[in-house]
Amino acid sequence: MIEFNGKISGLAEKHMWKRGKRITLAILILGLTVLFPFVILLWRKLESFYGFNIWVLPVMYVSLFIILPLIAWVLPKSKKEKNDLVTNKVFTDEEYIVVVLSNGHEEYKLISKAKRVNDYGDFYEIVFPLSAGISENFICQKSLLTKGTLEEFEALFEGKIVRKST
């Protein structure tokens, strides 16, 4: 059994929040893109119904592509929210890897489903494919290792470890 116990901090926490913002931006832009054809259809229907061009609808919708991602990127999280959502414990349970957040929420995924493990020196980031569910919470800070060894951890993800710099 491998266990990283304690709240992540420093570069690991900063990386987790940055990745979380990137995931949020990707979801926002994807959602807006998927809805775009329906907005065009609605605009065309309204245009034919009223008999003149109504440019307000597409202009407002396109402005959402700028405003919403900007708000999502700039809007800071409160200290309470950050404390509740930070990774507090990561451990292996047979073929699963489990993350426990500070608020008690648990998330688990099959170790075999990991796409890759990014080694940033001070911490590992376990990346899963979209089909397994994207999560920014699978961050293992090396200094928080309480059970097992780093070699045992790396053996779980053999062939999937990519050394990176922060």
Side-chain angles (χ1 to χ4, degrees):
M1 179 177 191
I2 310 291
E3 182 177 280
F4 297 87
N5 198 356
K7 284 187 179 181
I8 63 170
S9 60
L11 291 174
E13 184 180 10
K14 186 177 177 181
H15 181 81
M16 184 188 86
W17 292 119
K18 192 174 183 180
R19 179 159 162 75
K21 283 185 176 187
R22 285 185 189 144
I23 291 169
T24 301
L25 286 175
I27 290 169
L28 270 172
I29 290 171
L30 180 67
L32 288 170
T33 303
V34 166
L35 291 175
F36 191 68
F38 299 107
V39 171
I40 296 298
L41 287 172
L42 177 65
W43 173 54
R44 290 301 207 180
K45 288 284 185 190
L46 289 173
E47 184 181 63
S48 66
F49 181 74
Y50 288 111
F52 59 91
N53 267 334
I54 303 171
W55 283 97
V56 176
L57 186 64
V59 169
M60 285 177 49
Y61 193 78
V62 169
S63 66
L64 287 177
F65 274 92
I66 299 166
I67 294 169
L68 286 179
L70 188 63
I71 289 172
W73 188 261
V74 175
L75 197 65
K77 293 194 182 304
S78 69
K79 286 188 180 196
K80 182 186 181 317
E81 189 176 11
K82 278 190 172 186
N83 277 339
D84 284 349
L85 298 176
V86 73
T87 300
N88 194 39
K89 184 178 184 180
V90 181
F91 63 94
T92 57
D93 185 17
E94 295 178 20
E95 72 265 10
Y96 288 94
I97 186 153
V98 182
V99 170
V100 181
L101 302 180
S102 296
N103 64 4
H105 175 77
E106 286 187 9
E107 201 173 326
Y108 58 91
K109 300 195 185 295
L110 283 169
I111 293 171
S112 61
K113 296 283 185 184
K115 183 176 175 181
R116 72 178 177 278
V117 176
N118 296 327
D119 181 354
Y120 288 97
D122 292 340
F123 63 94
Y124 295 106
E125 173 193 30
I126 305 169
V127 180
F128 292 92
L130 187 60
S131 61
I134 296 176
S135 175
E136 72 273 12
N137 299 321
F138 286 87
I139 303 282
C140 305
Q141 190 169 335
K142 292 179 180 179
S143 63
L144 299 176
L145 183 67
T146 55
K147 290 184 184 172
T149 64
L150 294 176
E151 290 78 21
E152 290 173 332
F153 178 80
E154 289 186 3
L156 291 172
F157 300 99
E158 195 172 328
K160 296 181 179 182
I161 297 177
V162 179
R163 312 274 183 223
K164 293 193 170 197
S165 60
T166 50

